[in-house]
Amino acid sequence: MQAVAFDTIGARYCEAFPAKAGQLDCGDWLLAELEPGAPVLDIGCGTGDPTIRQLSQGGLRVTGVDLSDGMLTLARHAFPAAGHHRMDMYDLATPRAVHAWGAPELGPDGAGSLAAATAFFSLIMLPQDEIPVVLRRIRTLLRPGGLLALGMVEADLDYAPLPFLGHEIRISGYLREELEQTLAGAGFAVEAHSGHPYAPANTALPPEEQLFLRCRRTD
């Protein structure tokens, strides 16, 4: 049902969240750290803007995954040179990536193949108990020392209902210290983090604290 909501929301998501400074800063970090052509997975890519745009223009080989057909249609149209897969991020690094979604490179055979992954406000769509599972699966797909750029909302929420652009969605969040502990338990070291207070535009949502974390796979 979350994906169905975002099928309808489409490009209005970008209208509600026009400020992307924290996300773009993480993209600059990846571009500075990675070699040209390095493979990067954008998890919950949405319309592809700004991450697929920024990283592709910077010379990285980007694949976006999202469960929303509507969002992926926009991303494919805007960025046809990137790879795109409709799939549930919970199935990353599992046989279901192959059999259910037709993405063998994101299944067990893709272990250690990615230079980096990004997940900007996509993991918040999961219940809290599923987030560490997905983080460990992302880690499996990363090469040793691989990078993760992560955007989350700082809030103690577990799949809480929230009205958003005419739909009800459910989101989860962590307080900062708990989030860093969760990342450590999933096999990531947080190298830097920043917080950005932000009030979504054109919605009734309250102001929020966005967290951006730059992480590296530990071996």
Side-chain angles (χ1 to χ4, degrees):
M1 295 306 297
Q2 303 263 63
V4 170
F6 280 93
D7 285 343
T8 305
I9 290 168
R12 288 189 296 149
Y13 180 87
C14 293
E15 297 171 8
F17 293 95
K20 303 288 188 181
Q23 194 165 334
L24 291 168
D25 287 347
C26 286
D28 287 339
W29 169 64
L30 293 176
L31 290 170
E33 289 278 335
L34 299 175
E35 71 279 6
V40 179
L41 183 66
D42 186 17
I43 300 162
C45 65
T47 66
D49 202 10
T51 298
I52 291 179
R53 179 192 301 276
Q54 179 188 23
L55 299 185
S56 296
Q57 289 178 348
L60 301 179
R61 180 162 53 90
V62 187
T63 298
V65 297
D66 206 292
L67 192 54
S68 165
D69 273 324
M71 290 289 199
L72 274 179
T73 297
L74 294 171
R76 288 189 178 107
H77 178 75
F79 311 106
H84 303 89
H85 287 292
R86 180 177 180 268
M87 69 175 296
D88 189 333
M89 59 185 155
Y90 192 78
D91 294 331
L92 289 169
T94 73
R96 280 187 55 81
V98 184
H99 304 306
W101 305 107
E105 70 275 25
L106 300 178
D109 289 346
S113 64
L114 295 174
T118 62
F120 293 116
F121 307 105
S122 51
L123 297 186
I124 68 172
M125 310 303 293
L126 300 172
Q128 272 192 0
D129 62 352
E130 293 185 4
I131 292 174
V133 176
V134 174
L135 285 170
R136 288 193 292 271
R137 291 175 178 174
I138 294 169
R139 182 189 182 279
T140 296
L141 293 174
L142 292 173
R143 68 192 184 188
L147 306 178
L148 171 64
L150 182 65
M152 295 286 286
V153 173
E154 183 171 22
D156 186 13
L157 296 173
D158 187 5
Y159 216 51
L162 199 68
F164 182 62
L165 295 175
H167 299 268
E168 182 181 275
I169 61 173
R170 289 182 174 270
I171 68 168
S172 296
Y174 295 95
L175 300 180
R176 191 170 312 198
E177 182 177 343
E178 185 181 4
L179 177 57
E180 295 197 9
Q181 291 171 351
T182 300
L183 283 159
F188 289 97
V190 177
E191 296 191 344
H193 59 75
S194 62
H196 296 253
Y198 189 66
N202 304 320
T203 79
L205 294 180
E208 62 190 29
E209 181 77 5
Q210 295 182 336
L211 295 178
F212 294 92
L213 301 99
R214 304 176 186 185
C215 312
R216 191 178 300 270
R217 172 184 157 165
T218 54
D219 299 323

